[in-house]
Amino acid sequence: MSGAAGGIGRATAVAFGRQGAGVVVADLEHVRDQALETVALVEEAGGKAIFIPVDVADSTSVRDMVDETVAHFGRLDFAHNNAGISGTGFMAEIDEDEFDRIIAVDLKGVWLAMKYEIQYMKSNGGGTIVNTASEAGLVGTLWAGAYVAAKHGVVGLTKTAAGEYANMGIRINAVAPGAIGTPMVAQLPAAAKEMILAPQPLNRLGTPDEVADAVVWLSSDQSSFVLGTVLSIDGGATANAESYNSELSPSA
Ligand SMILES: NC(=O)c1ccc[n+]([C@@H]2O[C@H](COP(=O)([O-])OP(=O)(O)OC[C@H]3O[C@@H](n4cnc5c(N)ncnc54)[C@H](O)[C@@H]3O)[C@@H](O)[C@H]2O)c1
């Protein structure tokens, strides 16, 4: 489970812990302390957990994460590729290095993880993979072009891989969260939150647990006929045709 030191990844790790699962809390080395807190929470919830440092943008690091997972737990049945970063700026002003970094972490990171997870799963009886896309993987979101491009790419990777490996017992899906009350979003000024929530019928932030429950379901046999889907968990935001907000457009 990548990006599990906090937010949605932590909630999902704990939700798997409640099912008695062995969970790899994978995240950057520099958030080791937070990752170890997640490890403790998973164990309190009834699971087993270890921290494995990873940079999902680095292929050696990702391959090692999968190898260490199998070495420690003896198998890999479920993967949640969730690590991600965001960035802001109108299209014409996005910094090139930032664009490259967002694509490397949010898009290439998901591909690298699937590459090594699938290589293991296809010769070891299958498994399930859930990628974290975003509402921004389904619709354009002003001021977030690189993130939107990366998350649309995650949707494409998910659908393609789902078709390629279905006959090997590997079931691949994605979740597309809307505005979720992780620290990143919760700390936004009230006006910014209001702008995010205005087009959303349920008019509130989602909780990390609401995403985690969906990831656990997509990883379980209860969703056995669900393949290549991108499950929106967004309070109705992408179903609402009014989501364009002209106040967010750059002024001429
Ligand atoms: N919070 C939201 O509203 C929201 C909405 C849609 C999608 N998402 C997506 O959900 C996922 C989790 O986001 P979150 O809101 O929990 O944010 P978060 O910042 O709490 O979690 C992201 C985690 O990814 C880790 N990470 C970043 N770069 C990494 C790298 N190179 N290698 C390994 N780990 C790395 C971070 O250390 C962090 O723990 C992300 O993919 C994000 O794009 C979040």
Side-chain angles (χ1 to χ4, degrees), residues 10-33:
R10 171 178 284 178
T12 308
V14 173
F16 272 97
R18 274 186 226 113
Q19 306 292 319
V23 178
V24 168
V25 175
D27 211 305
L28 292 165
E29 173 60 45
H30 77 81
V31 294
R32 173 177 285 269
D33 289 350

Side-chain angles (χ1 to χ4, degrees), residues 93-114:
E93 277 90 44
I94 298 171
D95 175 77
E96 189 174 342
D97 288 341
E98 180 168 304
F99 183 92
D100 287 346
R101 185 70 193 150
I102 291 171
I103 297 295
V105 174
D106 292 2
L107 179 57
K108 186 180 172 190
V110 169
W111 167 65
L112 283 173
M114 283 207 291

Side-chain angles (χ1 to χ4, degrees), residues 8 36 38 56 129-130 136 139 186 226 247:
I8 291 168
L36 291 176
T38 304
V56 297
I129 297 175
V130 179
V139 294
V226 180
E247 285 172 27

Side-chain angles (χ1 to χ4, degrees), residues 37 72 75 88 165 176 223:
E37 280 169 27
H72 186 85
R75 48 190 304 111
T88 52
Y165 296 101
S223 63

Side-chain angles (χ1 to χ4, degrees), residues 3 5 7-8 27-28 31 54-56 82-85 101 105 132-134 147 151 177-180 182 185:
I8 291 168
D27 211 305
L28 292 165
V31 294
V54 70
D55 178 350
V56 297
N82 168 76
I85 54 174
R101 185 70 193 150
V105 174
T132 300
S134 171
Y147 183 76
K151 292 297 187 179
I180 306 299
T182 61
V185 174

Side-chain angles (χ1 to χ4, degrees), residues 52-151:
I52 296 181
V54 70
D55 178 350
V56 297
D58 179 282
S59 61
T60 307
S61 177
V62 175
R63 194 194 55 212
D64 290 351
M65 170 186 72
V66 172
D67 288 349
E68 283 173 45
T69 298
V70 174
H72 186 85
F73 285 115
R75 48 190 304 111
L76 170 63
D77 298 312
F78 319 108
H80 180 205
N81 301 318
N82 168 76
I85 54 174
S86 57
T88 52
F90 293 120
M91 201 62 75
E93 277 90 44
I94 298 171
D95 175 77
E96 189 174 342
D97 288 341
E98 180 168 304
F99 183 92
D100 287 346
R101 185 70 193 150
I102 291 171
I103 297 295
V105 174
D106 292 2
L107 179 57
K108 186 180 172 190
V110 169
W111 167 65
L112 283 173
M114 283 207 291
K115 176 182 166 104
Y116 293 110
E117 290 155 1
I118 290 167
Q119 283 179 9
Y120 172 81
M121 287 176 179
K122 72 181 189 175
S123 20
N124 289 278
T128 61
I129 297 175
V130 179
N131 298 318
T132 300
S134 171
E135 175 184 345
L138 298 170
V139 294
T141 307
L142 305 187
W143 211 43
Y147 183 76
V148 166
K151 292 297 187 179

